[in-house]
Amino acid sequence: MAEAHQAVAFQFTVTPEGIDLQLSHQALTEIYLSGLRSWKKKLIRLKNGVITGVYPASPSSWLFVVIAILATMYMRSDPSMGLIAKIQEHLPVSQSLSAQCQTVVSAVLFSTLLWLSLIFTMRMCLKQLLSYHRWMFEQRGKMSNTTKVWVALVRIFSGRQPLLYSYQGSLPNQPVPAVKDTVKRYLESVRPLKTPDEFERMTSLATQFESSLGNRLQWYLKLKALWASNYVSDWWEEYIYLRGRSPIMVNSNYYGMDFLYVTPTPIQAARAGNTLHAFLMYRRKLNREELKPSRVPGTVIPLCAAQCERMFNTTRTPGEETDTVQHWQDSDYVAVYHRGRYFRLRMYSSSRPLSPREIESQLQRILDDPSPPSPGEEKLGALTAGDRIPWAKARKEYFSSGVNKRSLDCIEKAAFFVTLDDDEQGVMGEDSAASLDRYAKSLLHGKCYDRWFDKSFSVVIYKNGKIGLNAEHSWADAPVVAHLWEYVLATDSFQLGYNEEGHCKGEVDASLPRPQRLSWDITPECQEQISQSLGVAQALADDVDFHVFSFRDFGKGRIKKCRISPDAYIQLALQLAYYRDRGMFCLTYEASMTRLFREGRTETVRSCSNESCAFVKALEGGEGVEVCRRLFRQASEKHQNLYKHAMTGAGIDRHLFCLYVVSKYLGVDSPFLKEVLSEPWHLSTSQTPVQQVELFDMVNHPEYISCGGGFGPVADDGYGVSYIIMGENMINFHISCKHSCPQTGSQKYGGQIRQALLDLLQLLCPDQREPSRTDQSQTKKDL
């Protein structure tokens, strides 16, 4: 009740002389400052909205146009060719203004219309320029004259100092590929995976689809592309993510790891203080649009920033048929879980964000709180880890009113979720490899009830100071979260820092109210549902087989010396490793972004191609070195070409997916689409790009290396592989599969990947000396 008393702004008593009001100036000050902060945010949003709305021009350019028009009129010249006079004739206030004032007003109106027309023209020109993608297919280092002119024009029409969302109105819409092109590419992609009879049958189905139903479905899809910002993204979010009824834990959510070799402080509350403050700093930059627009690395080409809008104050709400993503404009607190209790921790005081030292102090209060969880509270989070329909029903029945609703609203409307974990994780002990695997599993699913898997992301702070992140997938893709995570890690270590004792820097305001403990009234029936959801989630978590390892024999530096794309090199190594592991090829998924287009998300690169299979067969069949090298380079070039097509909207899978959705809306069946959409991805891969290299000094501080992140297996008998290329000399891999499949094993496949990487380098560059490991021993400053 202490928190409730502090929230009362006044007290009153009734006396014979009248009513005696006793105002609390502190509480009224808090209310005033809170409102002031809210209005400041609204003004900033309004200002940024104006700047973004007139981009690539600037608001000040309006004044320049007005002055230029008035100056030409002063010189007795009419730049409007009679339009100013026409405007003057139809001015509604012409009777009350002098002739000179009427002329000035008309000139200002004409100038404004001219200015808006120029903005529209510039934006359309920039949109057309950004629709040009031939630059991507040119040979590296050999830019054509057309592309040089194009780059110059993009720079001219891009204006100066764009805000985060400045390019949104100029990004082109994602194009709809021709049905015949998509069908042709699809058949090419499955040719090495099917027998001659199976391929002939699939070709027949594809030809029939292309000549009949395909054109009808394509017409509807083109109509949607004309009307919607992106013809894929809304259906992708709804049908791939939100309509899934299985658990999102393991199956959908993914994680990000801390530094591999360094923990800035072993004090849990201190590490949490800096980390949470860094999140607030990023949110402040995000709200003010002070983050630089993301671009294609090494170019001036902007990427869509729409996914950033729902990063904070967002949750996924369960429904019986489909979930929904709810986003709130602002939230001044975070929800914290510790030892089965939930807390509400305010992150602002008197309209200012709490300092890292103050956050540390508040979290230490939670860590020192000895109160036990209320009945059913400890494992409440298991509802978000189990099947979606039971969670939706339980939410409606047990959390739609009263104290449970208030507490649930508090969690769902929080800026993000924080778990103070009692376990210790990271690279430690004699078996460092096993400890890294346990660390990955902990971030992916934890105890199945100590994360809130519905939140846009949950931050995990371990007892020994290690941290991690678990992110929900429907609202955004991994690169968006990775950008946030890079900023937090760098800010924590290189900007905020710690004192000699390992505590956060700064002072503490002793008058801060204690974190508020959330209350629950969980009935036995609800507790039974929690137990059932926990059982489902626990079985899923126990089945996950995870292996994480750092490949330090060489990195992208050595690969580039062989004049090979590092991503193509790794993908071919994964193909070779899978063939050695399973004795066959499989349908392979590699995630590619389509953020060159407005509201773009991802596309699939089908990495298993005719060329890659030919190379693997030749290498494993004992063909000559020159033959294998030639086939490898052909496979590498094919992979790069597939990746570029996916990025530029000419991929296969999103188009086929949308055609399938249209067929379902029309109530027609397509044997071809049904079979295509049911094919399992036995190998699902993704590269986590390092986007803010400037934040990390890999030369002077090579020990500050992030291990990247990973995800669960997509198929019951397949692998999930995530990798991150760190600097010039390291590649980190995260491999997942299921214990229940006897044919797969994460350790086994990891060993095959390591050997494949070495064998490919020996094939391509046999004369290069073996890498020195002295650097590795120096950088391995483990805790």
Side-chain angles (χ1 to χ4, degrees), residues 105-117:
V105 171
S106 300
V108 170
L109 288 174
F110 171 77
S111 302
T112 303
L113 291 173
L114 177 63
W115 179 65
L116 293 174
S117 300

Side-chain angles (χ1 to χ4, degrees), residues 315-348:
T315 195
R316 174 171 173 165
T317 304
E320 294 189 31
E321 292 186 2
T322 182
D323 294 354
T324 56
V325 176
Q326 289 187 288
H327 172 72
W328 291 268
Q329 281 296 323
D330 192 20
S331 179
D332 64 353
Y333 67 92
V334 297
V336 182
Y337 177 92
H338 177 245
R339 291 184 182 175
R341 295 92 42 85
Y342 291 86
F343 296 85
R344 180 181 186 268
L345 172 59
R346 285 197 62 194
M347 301 297 287
Y348 291 84

Side-chain angles (χ1 to χ4, degrees), residues 464-508:
N464 60 342
K466 276 292 177 186
I467 62 175
L469 190 81
N470 182 288
E472 201 275 317
H473 210 327
S474 65
W475 64 274
D477 300 307
V480 176
V481 178
H483 191 277
L484 163 69
W485 193 233
E486 288 173 6
Y487 177 90
V488 169
L489 290 177
T491 302
D492 168 31
S493 298
F494 303 128
Q495 291 188 32
L496 300 177
Y498 302 87
N499 61 26
E500 295 179 356
E501 291 79 24
H503 292 283
C504 296
K505 298 176 182 178
E507 303 297 329
V508 179

Side-chain angles (χ1 to χ4, degrees), residues 338-339 341 361 363-371 514:
H338 177 245
R339 291 184 182 175
R341 295 92 42 85
S361 174
L363 290 171
Q364 192 61 52
R365 286 177 166 180
I366 294 176
L367 291 170
D368 295 339
D369 189 334
S371 61
R514 296 181 62 87

